[in-house]
Amino acid sequence: MKYAYYPGCSLEATAKEYNQSAKLVARHLGVELWEIPDWSCCGATAAHNNNHLLSLALPARNLAIAEAEGLDVAVPCAACFNRLRAAETAVRESESMRATISEIIGRDYRATNKTRALLDVMVNEVGLEKIKEQVVKPLAGLKLAAYYGCLLVRPPKLTAFDDPEDPMAMDRLIDALGGEAVSWSYKTECCGGSLATARGDIGVRMIYQVLRHARDAGAEGVVTACPLCFLNLDMREAQAAAAHGDQFQLPIFYFTELMGLALGYAPKDLGLTTHFVNPLPLLEAKEILRHPATRRETA
Amino acid sequence: MERVELAGSLRRNQALKSQVEAESGVVLSDCYQCGKCSAGCPVAAWMDYTPRQVIRLLQLGLVEEALKSHTPWLCACCQACYTRCPREVNLPRLMEVVRQEARRRGLINEKKVDIFERAFLGTVERYGRAHEMGLIVQYNLQSGQPFKDAMLAPPLLLKGKISPFPMKIKDVAGIKDIFTRVRARGGDRS
Ligand code: SF4
Ligand code: SF4
């Protein structure tokens, strides 16, 4: 199983643990990730808010490189995934758009390849059965809120991935890893994205709502598939709680980090030591870091 | 909002209204004002007009009123409204177009949002990738809040999560060409 890999800018910076853990678990599960050489930024929200054509051309450049190699593209970042899908769909649906984009990026691009979210590849291509077979350290007793945010599942016509109101891919993955996915109502609420930087008053309130609802549903941690969601929730958790006279210790995880743990990798190899909210105390309390062979017998 | 004479304003703004429809691909009369979009909008509480009201203004030809609204600048592009609209009105796309038209007229209602996005695109044009550290510094200076999020920067640096140096791709010229060609098509009129 081979995919062109488009990490996106965040995975080289604030989300480097996502990159690290994604590559590790992919290799473990026999998924070859061919990193698109000299990939460029997808333009993110800034491009499509400012210029429609630019917002399609920037991702198309990367898709064209993968297409020339005959590969579908696997994308860990939910925001990049959404933008790449937008470009792919626009080109596939309109011959004139195809010509325009090809001219702007100076390469031929016909959208014959497909963009897939890395979560989709793991759950639906590698498959939960195969992942389950590889689990050596089940996330036993760990209650987690699967947080999808917006761009992974919306708009459904574009993402064509999971139910836009009640997606289950990550929930089923958590269960396959031996953990327990809680049922909660904020799994697709927006984290505020870049509003947290420009309008902190709004962003912090949105972040607080997500975290509070996860905690109130009994979750001990939140699982994400988006570097923006992760950064907002992890880095601003203390600020968001304080602003509302509340307090939490709710670690945030990338789904690939949890996969890595269950597959037997050490926290350090997965980047779990670089979070703002330290997840290690929780993992230790649940005895997840201990190898089953050395785990204390509980009567 | 002051008193308006609707028939006249509709007549006066017909061209602008059609332009917004053409650019966004949204047929304004598709919206039957059920309000489902606004009910689920996570940012509605901070908006001056709810998303439904923005469409209503446009339907009535009160385009200038829509252009003066903060709503398009605050839209988080979360796609909840578009996903749920029974008439499949692509509201986030409409918001983009309204906001772009507002910018052309110098109506930038959320300066910080605009500065942030301009700074972001600036780093992409220059390096081919977003440079988070440069972006934060530039954003803070331009928005007149040099110490914003200052307490978050040292831990980010320490954890190796942001770098003071941008990551330049090899084919920067190719990226510059993309920006230039888009501009040549009148894409970026601001
Ligand atoms: S949900 Fe759709 S039809 Fe209903 S008010 Fe909003 S845009 Fe109009
Ligand atoms: S896309 Fe914008 S207008 Fe629509 S629900 Fe999200 S924030 Fe509100």
Side-chain angles (χ1 to χ4, degrees), chain A residues 150 154 190 195 206, chain B residues 37-38 40-44 47 50-51 71-72 74-82 84 91-93 95:
Chain A
C150 8
R154 287 200 301 252
C190 176
L195 270 183
M206 292 166 83
Chain B
C37 49
S38 309
C41 173
V43 197
M47 290 170 166
T50 64
T71 299
L74 294 179
C75 166
C77 313
C78 78
Q79 312 286 331
C81 52
Y82 181 31
R84 294 172 187 162
L91 245 169
R93 182 84 185 93
M95 294 289 181

Side-chain angles (χ1 to χ4, degrees), chain A residues 23-290:
Chain A
K23 286 179 176 170
L24 207 60
V25 297
R27 192 178 327 122
H28 188 105
L29 294 166
V31 181
E32 191 183 336
L33 296 177
W34 177 79
E35 187 161 326
I36 295 175
D38 213 35
W39 55 267
S40 50
C41 176
C42 74
T45 311
H48 77 88
N49 271 340
N50 286 280
N51 187 303
H52 190 58
L53 217 43
L54 183 66
S55 77
L56 300 176
L58 287 173
R61 176 187 174 274
N62 300 295
L63 293 171
I65 301 175
E67 182 178 47
E69 205 71 19
L71 291 174
D72 285 347
V73 186
V75 188
C77 168
C80 298
F81 164 68
N82 199 284
R83 296 322 307 160
L84 265 61
R85 281 295 277 225
E88 179 193 317
T89 309
V91 166
R92 191 169 294 145
E93 285 176 355
S94 152
E95 180 56 30
S96 75
M97 187 54 94
R98 187 197 66 73
T100 306
I101 296 289
S102 296
E103 189 204 311
I104 291 178
I105 64 175
R107 312 164 193 258
D108 195 30
Y109 172 53
R110 306 184 159 270
T112 53
N113 53 347
K114 265 196 95 174
T115 306
R116 310 271 306 257
L118 184 67
L119 176 65
D120 179 21
V121 170
M122 289 297 176
V123 171
N124 298 315
E125 290 304 318
V126 175
L128 296 173
E129 277 315 305
K130 171 155 183 201
I131 294 171
K132 221 170 176 169
E133 280 165 21
Q134 302 281 324
V135 169
V136 293
K137 273 191 237 170
L139 309 178
L142 195 57
K143 290 200 182 73
L144 297 161
Y147 178 55
Y148 298 79
C150 8
L151 298 176
L152 190 61
V153 290
R154 287 200 301 252
K157 238 193 281 177
L158 202 67
T159 57
F161 166 50
D162 203 336
D163 187 305
E165 300 292 354
D166 187 19
M168 286 303 288
M170 217 174 344
D171 294 70
R172 288 191 286 127
L173 177 64
I174 292 168
D175 289 337
L177 299 175
E180 195 183 315
V182 303
S183 178
W184 67 312
S185 51
Y186 266 59
K187 52 163 67 165
T188 62
E189 274 296 312
C190 176
C191 73
S194 49
L195 270 183
T197 309
R199 282 292 304 264
D201 54 331
I202 303 178
V204 156
R205 173 86 191 154
M206 292 166 83
I207 291 164
Y208 175 69
Q209 292 292 5
V210 171
L211 292 171
R212 182 173 73 92
H213 281 268
R215 177 196 59 193
D216 291 354
E220 297 159 301
V222 176
V223 193
T224 66
C226 173
L228 253 97
C229 297
F230 181 96
L231 189 68
N232 268 343
L233 297 183
D234 181 49
M235 186 171 82
R236 298 182 193 275
E237 176 170 320
Q239 189 188 349
H244 294 86
D246 205 338
Q247 229 182 340
F248 328 101
Q249 258 306 318
L250 209 56
I252 318 297
F253 298 95
Y254 288 109
F255 74 94
T256 46
E257 291 176 330
L258 291 176
M259 288 176 76
L261 277 178
L263 297 176
Y265 291 94
K268 200 165 167 293
D269 298 330
L270 299 162
L272 280 161
T273 44
T274 60
H275 294 194
F276 274 77
V277 182
N278 182 5
L280 298 180
L282 171 68
L283 297 173
E284 267 152 22
K286 297 277 169 184
E287 303 198 348
I288 286 164
L289 297 180
R290 223 181 274 263

Side-chain angles (χ1 to χ4, degrees), chain A residues 5-14 19 23 34-44 46-47 58-59 61-62 65 80, chain B residues 116-136 138 163-176 178-179:
Chain A
Y5 181 58
Y6 179 78
C9 303
S10 302
L11 274 82
E12 295 273 338
T14 50
N19 206 10
K23 286 179 176 170
W34 177 79
E35 187 161 326
I36 295 175
D38 213 35
W39 55 267
S40 50
C41 176
C42 74
L58 287 173
R61 176 187 174 274
N62 300 295
I65 301 175
C80 298
Chain B
F116 181 78
E117 291 185 348
R118 301 260 124 196
F120 184 96
L121 288 179
T123 68
V124 176
E125 185 168 5
R126 224 167 307 134
Y127 309 118
R129 289 191 191 161
H131 175 227
E132 289 169 314
M133 177 84 171
L135 178 61
I136 294 168
Q138 198 188 343
S163 158
F165 310 107
M167 222 175 346
K168 207 170 179 159
I169 69 166
K170 286 191 223 105
D171 184 26
V172 184
I175 301 297
K176 286 223 161 68
I178 292 179
F179 276 83

Side-chain angles (χ1 to χ4, degrees), chain B:
Chain B
M1 190 176 158
E2 73 266 26
R3 207 180 263 260
V4 284
E5 192 263 297
L6 282 178
S9 90
L10 192 54
R11 221 176 302 121
R12 226 178 19 258
N13 285 317
Q14 195 55 54
L16 192 51
K17 192 181 151 192
S18 309
Q19 180 199 323
V20 168
E21 286 196 300
E23 273 184 45
S24 65
V26 169
V27 179
L28 292 168
S29 58
D30 277 355
C31 166
Y32 52 28
Q33 291 288 298
C34 67
K36 199 172 180 190
C37 49
S38 309
C41 173
V43 197
W46 291 273
M47 290 170 166
D48 48 357
Y49 287 111
T50 64
R52 177 194 65 77
Q53 288 173 320
V54 171
I55 298 214
R56 189 65 182 144
L57 289 172
L58 294 171
Q59 286 177 336
L60 294 173
L62 300 171
V63 186
E64 279 139 14
E65 202 61 31
L67 292 173
K68 278 191 259 166
S69 163
H70 287 248
T71 299
W73 298 90
L74 294 179
C75 166
C77 313
C78 78
Q79 312 286 331
C81 52
Y82 181 31
T83 300
R84 294 172 187 162
C85 171
R87 304 285 296 155
E88 295 187 33
V89 172
N90 192 340
L91 245 169
R93 182 84 185 93
L94 187 68
M95 294 289 181
E96 271 167 45
V97 168
V98 172
R99 167 191 192 148
Q100 285 161 17
E101 184 57 34
R103 179 184 288 113
R104 280 177 210 136
R105 294 160 180 247
L107 287 170
I108 297 171
N109 280 329
E110 291 286 336
K111 292 245 160 27
K112 289 176 184 167
V113 173
D114 188 57
I115 291 171
F116 181 78
E117 291 185 348
R118 301 260 124 196
F120 184 96
L121 288 179
T123 68
V124 176
E125 185 168 5
R126 224 167 307 134
Y127 309 118
R129 289 191 191 161
H131 175 227
E132 289 169 314
M133 177 84 171
L135 178 61
I136 294 168
V137 171
Q138 198 188 343
Y139 166 72
N140 285 356
L141 289 177
Q142 290 184 5
S143 59
Q145 38 185 359
F147 302 113
K148 185 177 179 291
D149 288 342
M151 77 293 181
L152 297 173
L156 280 174
L157 275 168
L158 216 61
K159 292 171 199 284
K161 286 191 167 189
I162 48 173
S163 158
F165 310 107
M167 222 175 346
K168 207 170 179 159
I169 69 166
K170 286 191 223 105
D171 184 26
V172 184
I175 301 297
K176 286 223 161 68
D177 284 346
I178 292 179
F179 276 83
T180 311
R181 289 185 191 126
V182 165
R183 281 197 191 103
R185 288 176 171 269
D188 195 346
R189 277 183 262 173
S190 49

